[in-house]
Amino acid sequence: MYISRRKFLERGSLAVAASWVGVGKLFGQADVIAQMRASGATAKIAVVPARRGVSVLMGSGGNIAVLPGKDGKLLVDSGFSTSKTQITEALNGLGAEPPKTLIDTHWHFDHTDGNEWMHAARATIVAHENTKKRLSTPQVIAAFHASFPPSPAGAIPTVVFSDSDSLQTNGERIELKHYAPAHTDTDISVHFVNADVLHVGDTWFNGFYPFIDYSTGGNIDGMIAATKLNLGRAGATTVIIPGHGPIGDRMVLAEYASMLQAVREKVAALKQQGKSVEAVVAEKPTGAFDARWGGGFMNGEGFTRLVYQGV
Ligand SMILES: [Zn+2]
């Protein structure tokens, strides 16, 4: 019951590959990553207004937030490098100023692959110090049997922080905060304070089971904690940008939080009975949730395996 190859290519996201755990042999891991990157070349970019000048570019890897203005554009995440042409066109549609600042929400390549060209276009790259470390050194994502070489020098963040940071640009105050390990150990949130738009990176997959990257520090309990933190920060009218999926709000995020908690509890109870991961998968602990959350990036089996690993 894995998603189709066609759907996988259409979605063009790192998370999609998680559904291929176990069928990686069909394509080989290097091929999966190469296919995802290649999908960026033909990706169509949708520009969705969030609030007060903040827009979201959707279609190439993770969601890219943009705040244009006289100081130069501020961007959050850079998508696939192969989408440079379409992303440039979308950015030009938002104003003539060049990119000035690029913030990476975490190290994953569907969020940082465009770093090098955006830096060449004059953007300074800001990220958590762990993102710099991981982009500077070889990385492995075991769930995909995938290896990543160090990124080129121009793609490495040059402004880093450990706990929090803030910056002021285009009449907006932007606050950056590191999460305790959740999706990875590099995750940060980006809050446009005046607009009250909160980009939460891959701590939230809106409408889909999330991928959790245990290889680089992620775990299910961290995802739940990060989601609770996001709920605590968001007000009733906060616009929340997920790493993947449509823009949402506190109510939709609360539904995701309940799903994470419920699946975690079910899987933990079964594991505590001494059941193997295969036995737990066979019991379909996500059964009640698959119709709502299992239709896109990752199916119930893949998510069950990720939760099992962390409880
Ligand atoms: Zn990610």
Side-chain angles (χ1 to χ4, degrees), residues 176-197:
L176 315 178
K177 285 202 174 79
H178 182 229
Y179 293 99
H183 170 70
T184 66
D185 64 6
T186 68
D187 309 314
I188 63 166
S189 59
V190 181
H191 190 203
F192 297 85
V193 176
N194 299 333
D196 196 16
V197 173

Side-chain angles (χ1 to χ4, degrees), residues 8-206:
F8 161 66
L9 291 172
E10 280 172 355
R11 301 267 181 169
S13 161
L14 179 62
V16 177
S19 286
W20 292 84
V21 175
V23 292
K25 295 169 207 107
L26 284 177
F27 300 105
Q29 45 93 357
D31 192 43
V32 167
I33 302 303
Q35 295 269 12
M36 290 168 66
R37 187 175 275 127
S39 73
T42 51
K44 291 200 164 48
I45 306 297
V47 181
V48 181
R51 187 155 61 203
R52 274 183 71 142
V54 180
S55 295
V56 183
L57 272 48
M58 295 179 172
S60 174
N63 288 329
I64 300 171
V66 186
L67 176 65
K70 61 176 171 40
D71 299 332
K73 293 190 180 82
L74 176 127
L75 295 108
V76 182
D77 286 347
S78 60
F80 291 126
S81 56
T82 44
S83 306
K84 179 184 173 184
T85 305
Q86 305 95 297
I87 290 174
T88 301
E89 193 184 321
L91 290 175
N92 288 343
L94 293 170
E97 310 83 7
K100 172 85 185 316
T101 306
L102 165 61
I103 299 165
D104 290 335
T105 59
H106 62 297
W107 80 273
H108 280 157
F109 90 118
D110 53 332
H111 299 255
T112 59
D113 195 46
N115 275 16
E116 191 179 27
W117 79 258
M118 286 188 184
H119 174 70
R122 314 221 311 254
T124 298
I125 306 175
V126 182
H128 187 261
E129 59 191 7
N130 290 348
T131 294
K132 180 178 183 173
K133 278 184 203 157
R134 293 203 178 277
L135 290 179
S136 305
T137 52
Q139 299 298 322
V140 169
I141 301 182
F144 308 148
H145 313 285
S147 307
F148 297 84
S151 296
I156 310 287
T158 54
V159 177
V160 297
F161 63 95
S162 56
D163 184 43
S164 63
D165 201 356
S166 68
L167 51 116
Q168 199 86 30
T169 192
N170 296 326
E172 181 56 276
R173 177 178 171 80
I174 294 127
E175 292 183 346
L176 315 178
K177 285 202 174 79
H178 182 229
Y179 293 99
H183 170 70
T184 66
D185 64 6
T186 68
D187 309 314
I188 63 166
S189 59
V190 181
H191 190 203
F192 297 85
V193 176
N194 299 333
D196 196 16
V197 173
L198 180 65
H199 195 319
V200 297
D202 279 1
T203 65
W204 190 21
F205 286 59
N206 187 5

